[in-house]
């Protein structure tokens, strides 16, 4: 059978049948009483999804912030997506960051730019992973040129990508 239900979830079968095929493909069991819909098609592996999200973040950084990182890695941890970017500081930002005030200015400017792009990041997560973004957190080091992004989502990714 294509559909797998937890006990007590059979009442939701009609609800599932009304969903579009695309939405049915993105529903994942979360362990909190939600149902799972399994489709007979090749799905992405955990590594493929992490790599695709990494490439999307690199593209976003280049197009939206003007420069991409030198290195990037993405990790799924339960309901979190951790992205580590290295080499994100521009030469102008490095010069500005020589003073304490400059460091704060660089960090705050990048944080605001990143947070103002939340709709783009939500769409990225929905398209690649198939779940909804709950919250977005970021911080960076102007000394090392590294940024950490933590995205929380409404799905346990360890269960989705066994």
């Amino acid at each position: 059978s294509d559909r797998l239900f937890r006990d007590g979830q059979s009442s939701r079968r009609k609800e599932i049948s009304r969903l579009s095929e695309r939405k049915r493909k993105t529903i994942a069991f979360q362990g909190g009483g939600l149902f799972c819909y399994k489709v007979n098609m090749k799905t992405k592996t955990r590594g493929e999804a992490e790599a695709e999200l990494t490439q999307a973040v690199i593209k976003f950084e280049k197009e939206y912030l003007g420069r991409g990182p030198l290195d990037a890695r993405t990790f799924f941890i339960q309901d979190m997506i951790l992205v580590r970017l290295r080499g994100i500081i521009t030469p102008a930002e490095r010069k500005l960051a020589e003073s304490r005030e400059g460091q704060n200015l660089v960090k705050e400017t990048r944080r605001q730019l990143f947070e103002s792009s939340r709709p783009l990041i939500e769409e990225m997560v929905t398209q690649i992973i198939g779940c909804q973004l709950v919250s977005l957190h970021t911080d960076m080091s102007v000394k090392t040129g590294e940024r950490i992004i933590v995205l929380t989502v409404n799905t346990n990714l360890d269960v989705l990508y066994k």
Side-chain angles (χ1 to χ4, degrees):
S1 170
D2 286 354
R3 296 180 192 148
L4 301 176
F5 295 92
R6 289 195 70 213
D7 290 64
Q9 295 300 323
S10 60
S11 64
R12 303 213 45 198
R13 289 182 187 184
K14 288 182 184 176
E15 191 176 326
I16 290 173
S17 67
R18 288 188 296 239
L19 293 175
S20 69
E21 182 67 20
R22 177 170 151 56
K23 287 184 180 178
R24 287 187 295 205
K25 290 176 185 176
T26 63
I27 296 169
F29 172 68
Q30 297 179 10
L34 296 181
F35 55 90
C36 175
Y37 184 83
K38 182 179 178 182
V39 285
N40 287 333
M41 62 176 276
K42 182 173 179 351
T43 57
K44 295 177 204 171
T45 66
R46 180 188 198 102
E48 290 169 340
E50 288 172 340
E52 189 175 342
L53 195 59
T54 300
Q55 291 305 310
V57 169
I58 290 170
K59 183 178 177 184
F60 163 79
E61 287 272 328
K62 285 180 181 177
E63 292 177 1
Y64 192 74
L65 301 175
R67 177 188 168 141
L70 299 177
D71 183 43
R73 288 286 314 264
T74 300
F75 306 92
F76 295 163
I77 306 163
Q78 296 177 357
D79 65 341
M80 295 179 290
I81 300 169
L82 175 69
V83 183
R84 180 180 183 190
L85 306 173
R86 295 181 182 167
I88 63 164
I89 302 291
T90 66
E93 288 171 327
R94 187 166 282 115
K95 182 69 177 166
L96 186 59
E98 289 176 357
S99 72
R100 189 65 162 153
E101 290 174 357
Q103 290 175 358
N104 292 335
L105 182 62
V106 169
K107 286 179 78 165
E108 183 62 19
T109 302
R110 282 206 170 232
R111 186 193 63 76
Q112 286 183 8
L113 280 170
F114 192 78
E115 288 184 4
S116 70
S117 63
R118 182 183 172 112
L120 298 172
I121 296 165
E122 284 178 344
E123 180 65 21
M124 182 188 320
V125 169
T126 301
Q127 291 294 317
I128 296 169
I129 309 300
C131 56
Q132 299 300 308
L133 183 67
V134 174
S135 63
L136 175 148
H137 312 275
T138 185
D139 196 14
M140 67 178 283
S141 169
V142 291
K143 291 181 182 178
T144 64
E146 204 172 68
R147 174 197 300 250
I148 299 296
I149 302 166
V150 178
L151 308 172
T152 59
V153 295
N154 68 343
T155 302
N156 185 335
L157 300 171
D158 289 339
V159 173
L160 184 62
Y161 293 101
K162 286 185 182 180

